[in-house]
Amino acid sequence: MQIQNTLRGHTLFFDKKPVITATGTIAGPKECAGIVGNFVDKALSDDMFGESTFEKAECKMLSYAIDTAIKNASLDRNQMDVLVSGDLLNQIISASFAARDFSVPFLGVYSACSTMSQSIMLSAALVNAGYINNAVAATGSHFASAERQYRYPLEQGTTRPPQSQWTVTGAGACVIRNKGEGVKIVNATMGRVIDYGVTDVNNMGAAMAPACAHTLIQHFRDTNTQPEDYDLILSGDLGALGSRLLKDLCWEKGFDISSNHVDCGEIIYKVIEDEFQGGSGAGCSAVVFNSYVFSKLQAKMFKRVLFAATGALLSTVSSGQGESIPCISHAVQLEV
Amino acid sequence: MQIQNTLRGHTLFFDKKPVITATGTIAGPKECAGIVGNFVDKALSDDMFGESTFEKAECKMLSYAIDTAIKNASLDRNQMDVLVSGDLLNQIISASFAARDFSVPFLGVYSACSTMSQSIMLSAALVNAGYINNAVAATGSHFASAERQYRYPLEQGTTRPPQSQWTVTGAGACVIRNKGEGVKIVNATMGRVIDYGVTDVNNMGAAMAPACAHTLIQHFRDTNTQPEDYDLILSGDLGALGSRLLKDLCWEKGFDISSNHVDCGEIIYKVIEDEFQGGSGAGCSAVVFNSYVFSKLQAKMFKRVLFAATGALLSTVSSGQGESIPCISHAVQLEV
């Protein structure tokens, strides 16, 4: 299989440049020991967040991120026209139950760990077209709820293989408006489902790297840009191994991203040790983008960022039935 | 809790009126014994559809519906700008794996059984704004895969309670374009998550009726229309009991939909017997709308239809943790 140049572009251009005016983020203790610790709105000391189950804690984190983003934007929740959100849990219950709290129109999405960029893309598309004025895009994940849903109960104490990643406990949200100061959303490139036949569910980075490469290259072609036009090319949660594969895949096609590529999964933890390849989960790029990267954009330390979150669209059932891992990546271009 | 009139409208208005130019539908033998049997593109004699598992059969049905819709629109798959799809299986694997087959940009959505109207709404919003020209919106479900994921393995032979519905085995898709002959999409009302506290997972109709009532009333207010302005008000899959509740809830707020309301779940089966309250599942409204109702619209037997699919956003985990059932309904207004 090869990365094709398609006949049509996949990029939505936003002539009115919707603005991310504020974000809200929260992360667990393990995550806050690393780079995002100084940038999140709330650093949890206990990843149960006062709840009785992991799933309820995940939902509460997501609600917190949404609520904080709206407050940081100096808006009231009844001024929000839509919430675009999804998460990793079956039937996206974190997002659905968070949406119940907010009582605003809700568009549920599922794009695994590329949910953050898909949500920003859809929100920006609706705002730019003038349908709505204020949207909030959000997602999150929780290490413990993901482990028991996708892999094994934590109590079992299963040994993790070296190619695995660690699902981030955290959530991020951003408010996207038709006016105001902040980070402008210039365009967004929709991803295609790409599957190179990887079947190792512990090696998500390898599975997702081709989808990310495809979207980045499609983006460069559609927008007539080159990697060096960006201060930062931020991939979702490929981890260390996946990032190396991504660089190789792009280089093969004539795009050298090695000097300005950073992966959220690769940088989120202080020391990549127990986490092996780094962080993953919808919360990974949600937290890194909405805290650390957004702060740097606001401070104009980055002026042009390409944010391509990446998602592995498998389930335990599909893997159990012998299927490989279809992956996707959606990219949004941001400027100040 | 009461149905509130919100400060802002929830309706996206499509001034260019995107067109549903063609549909594709497929349904199982039980479904095809009823009203949709004469209208679907393919009536299955075996609901395994030649596959080895229920999940693979569900995915193949969805692919078939998408492929048929594109062919019926006299288009090639590489002319499609986006596929908007989701389904009931964990991590929407039917949609993701179908998207892998088609190799077009993919936006995964999750809105349970309101996926059909949410997909149409998002597709129409992107087409109307001029971002893209051709979209395909699709969803489906399978009785056997839903039973074993949400309830019990079929082999267990569990007795069904009288308030239950029967998940439809079938899939439907429609092609939405910026030009061409067909059914025009005039506007769409985004739903909010509504939860009246129903906890009985076998009584989805009762859980979803308030969300549907909320969206219909919001729609009437936003568009300044009345129930009698529509030839047909088509709800998703409330079933017999849920439909009665919907009519009562609307009537309480001064909107009498009793003379022109029809529910997809209530009409899909020939005799409501084993199915008790009727059909449900994302495939229910997908099949009824894209086959029977679309045919009647094309024949101008209906000129103005309000289609409000309904979804219950629960999971087995949320119910197991004692949560009630949050529900949603998105509505699209169609005209010829």
Side-chain angles (χ1 to χ4, degrees):
Chain A
M1 200 186 293
Q2 58 171 343
I3 296 171
Q4 295 175 315
N5 186 9
T6 53
L7 293 172
R8 318 179 139 274
H10 295 184
T11 300
L12 314 178
F13 290 92
F14 304 134
D15 56 324
K16 299 200 179 64
K17 297 186 181 170
V19 186
I20 302 177
T21 64
T23 63
T25 46
I26 180 170
K30 187 180 177 79
E31 288 68 25
C32 291
I35 196 166
V36 299
N38 293 325
F39 296 91
V40 293
D41 291 285
K42 189 175 185 76
L44 289 174
S45 57
D46 171 11
D47 66 6
M48 292 304 287
F49 203 7
E51 292 292 321
S52 57
T53 70
F54 306 135
E55 291 75 15
K56 287 184 182 180
E58 178 176 330
C59 180
K60 188 175 174 184
M61 285 196 304
L62 188 57
S63 286
Y64 178 87
I66 296 165
D67 191 45
T68 305
I70 295 169
K71 280 181 184 151
N72 287 347
S74 304
L75 291 170
D76 189 80
R77 56 177 67 185
N78 67 25
Q79 291 177 282
M80 304 312 299
D81 297 311
V82 72
L83 165 64
V84 184
S85 186
D87 60 272
L88 299 180
L89 293 182
N90 298 342
Q91 288 75 52
I92 62 165
I93 49 170
S94 290
S96 299
F97 281 83
R100 185 177 67 176
D101 294 342
F102 284 89
S103 201
V104 297
F106 172 58
L107 297 178
V109 294
Y110 182 79
S111 191
C113 308
S114 63
T115 299
M116 196 66 237
S117 53
Q118 179 172 330
S119 300
I120 293 174
M121 174 170 66
L122 280 175
S123 299
L126 295 175
V127 168
N128 183 70
Y131 297 123
I132 58 171
N133 297 331
N134 305 319
V136 55
T139 189
S141 55
H142 194 294
F143 172 71
S145 67
E147 283 300 306
R148 75 170 170 188
Q149 177 180 285
Y150 284 106
R151 298 177 191 93
Y152 302 99
L154 291 181
E155 293 81 355
Q156 195 171 320
T158 308
T159 307
R160 302 171 66 81
Q163 70 274 30
S164 68
Q165 293 169 255
W166 189 278
T167 304
V168 164
T169 298
C174 57
V175 168
I176 294 147
R177 304 192 63 191
N178 64 340
K179 62 180 181 187
E181 291 295 305
V183 175
K184 292 190 164 79
I185 306 167
V186 182
N187 57 51
T189 302
M190 299 184 284
R192 278 183 6 199
V193 175
I194 305 285
D195 187 343
Y196 274 28
V198 173
T199 52
D200 179 359
V201 296
N202 286 305
N203 198 351
M204 298 289 190
M208 294 189 292
C212 189
H214 180 277
T215 298
L216 292 181
I217 292 167
Q218 184 75 45
H219 177 86
F220 296 138
R221 287 176 173 155
D222 285 355
T223 59
N224 201 22
T225 56
Q226 291 291 323
E228 53 268 30
D229 295 329
Y230 299 89
D231 298 321
L232 179 69
I233 296 170
L234 185 72
S235 60
D237 49 354
L238 300 174
L241 173 61
S243 292
R244 273 161 52 196
L245 294 172
L246 172 69
K247 283 171 198 162
D248 283 356
L249 287 166
C250 289
W251 180 83
E252 267 182 7
K253 299 288 168 186
F255 295 92
D256 183 1
I257 63 167
S258 60
S259 61
N260 49 359
H261 168 262
V262 166
D263 183 72
C264 297
E266 213 176 1
I267 64 167
I268 191 166
Y269 291 114
K270 195 174 181 183
V271 179
I272 295 178
E273 195 172 272
D274 288 352
E275 313 84 19
F276 295 115
Q277 301 299 328
S280 69
C284 180
S285 59
V287 171
V288 173
F289 172 74
N290 288 303
S291 66
Y292 178 70
V293 175
F294 184 74
S295 296
K296 298 289 177 191
L297 274 161
Q298 277 196 311
K300 296 196 169 50
M301 294 171 70
F302 301 137
K303 290 189 177 159
R304 204 185 206 191
V305 170
L306 183 57
F307 170 43
T310 51
L313 304 171
L314 80 169
S315 83
T316 52
V317 168
S318 68
S319 296
Q321 294 184 3
E323 291 281 2
S324 54
I325 306 172
C327 294
I328 200 161
S329 174
H330 301 289
V332 287
Q333 184 182 327
L334 304 141
E335 283 179 11
V336 284
Chain B
M1 199 185 297
Q2 58 172 341
I3 296 171
Q4 294 176 314
N5 187 9
T6 53
L7 292 172
R8 317 180 140 272
H10 295 183
T11 300
L12 314 178
F13 291 92
F14 304 134
D15 56 323
K16 300 201 178 65
K17 297 186 181 172
V19 186
I20 302 177
T21 64
T23 63
T25 46
I26 182 170
K30 186 180 178 79
E31 287 71 25
C32 290
I35 196 168
V36 299
N38 293 325
F39 294 91
V40 293
D41 290 287
K42 189 175 185 76
L44 290 173
S45 56
D46 172 12
D47 67 6
M48 291 304 287
F49 202 6
E51 293 292 321
S52 57
T53 70
F54 305 136
E55 291 77 15
K56 288 184 181 181
E58 179 177 328
C59 181
K60 188 175 174 184
M61 285 195 305
L62 188 56
S63 286
Y64 178 88
I66 296 165
D67 192 47
T68 304
I70 295 169
K71 281 181 183 152
N72 287 346
S74 303
L75 291 170
D76 188 79
R77 57 177 68 186
N78 68 25
Q79 292 177 283
M80 303 312 299
D81 298 309
V82 72
L83 164 64
V84 183
S85 186
D87 59 274
L88 299 180
L89 293 182
N90 298 343
Q91 287 76 50
I92 62 164
I93 49 170
S94 290
S96 298
F97 281 83
R100 186 177 68 175
D101 296 341
F102 285 90
S103 202
V104 297
F106 171 58
L107 298 178
V109 294
Y110 182 77
S111 190
C113 308
S114 63
T115 299
M116 196 66 235
S117 53
Q118 178 171 332
S119 301
I120 293 174
M121 174 169 67
L122 280 176
S123 300
L126 295 175
V127 168
N128 183 70
Y131 297 123
I132 59 170
N133 297 329
N134 305 317
V136 54
T139 190
S141 55
H142 195 295
F143 171 71
S145 66
E147 282 300 306
R148 74 171 170 186
Q149 178 181 284
Y150 284 106
R151 297 177 192 94
Y152 301 99
L154 290 183
E155 294 81 353
Q156 194 171 319
T158 310
T159 306
R160 301 170 67 80
Q163 70 275 31
S164 69
Q165 294 170 255
W166 189 277
T167 304
V168 164
T169 298
C174 57
V175 168
I176 294 147
R177 304 191 63 190
N178 64 339
K179 61 181 181 185
E181 291 295 305
V183 175
K184 293 191 166 76
I185 306 166
V186 181
N187 57 50
T189 303
M190 299 184 286
R192 275 183 9 197
V193 175
I194 305 288
D195 187 342
Y196 273 28
V198 173
T199 53
D200 179 359
V201 295
N202 287 304
N203 198 352
M204 298 289 190
M208 295 190 289
C212 190
H214 180 275
T215 298
L216 292 180
I217 291 166
Q218 185 75 44
H219 177 86
F220 296 138
R221 287 176 174 156
D222 285 354
T223 59
N224 201 21
T225 56
Q226 292 291 323
E228 53 268 31
D229 295 328
Y230 298 90
D231 298 321
L232 179 69
I233 296 169
L234 184 71
S235 61
D237 49 353
L238 299 176
L241 173 60
S243 293
R244 272 162 51 198
L245 294 171
L246 172 69
K247 283 172 197 161
D248 283 357
L249 287 166
C250 288
W251 181 82
E252 269 182 6
K253 298 289 168 184
F255 296 92
D256 182 2
I257 63 167
S258 60
S259 61
N260 50 359
H261 168 262
V262 167
D263 182 72
C264 297
E266 212 176 2
I267 64 168
I268 191 167
Y269 291 115
K270 194 173 181 183
V271 179
I272 295 178
E273 195 171 271
D274 287 350
E275 311 85 18
F276 294 116
Q277 300 300 327
S280 70
C284 180
S285 58
V287 170
V288 172
F289 172 74
N290 288 302
S291 65
Y292 177 71
V293 175
F294 184 74
S295 296
K296 299 288 178 193
L297 274 160
Q298 278 197 309
K300 296 193 168 54
M301 292 170 73
F302 300 137
K303 291 189 178 161
R304 205 184 205 193
V305 170
L306 182 57
F307 169 43
T310 51
L313 304 171
L314 80 169
S315 82
T316 52
V317 168
S318 68
S319 296
Q321 293 184 4
E323 289 282 2
S324 54
I325 306 172
C327 294
I328 199 161
S329 174
H330 301 288
V332 286
Q333 182 182 328
L334 305 141
E335 283 180 10
V336 286

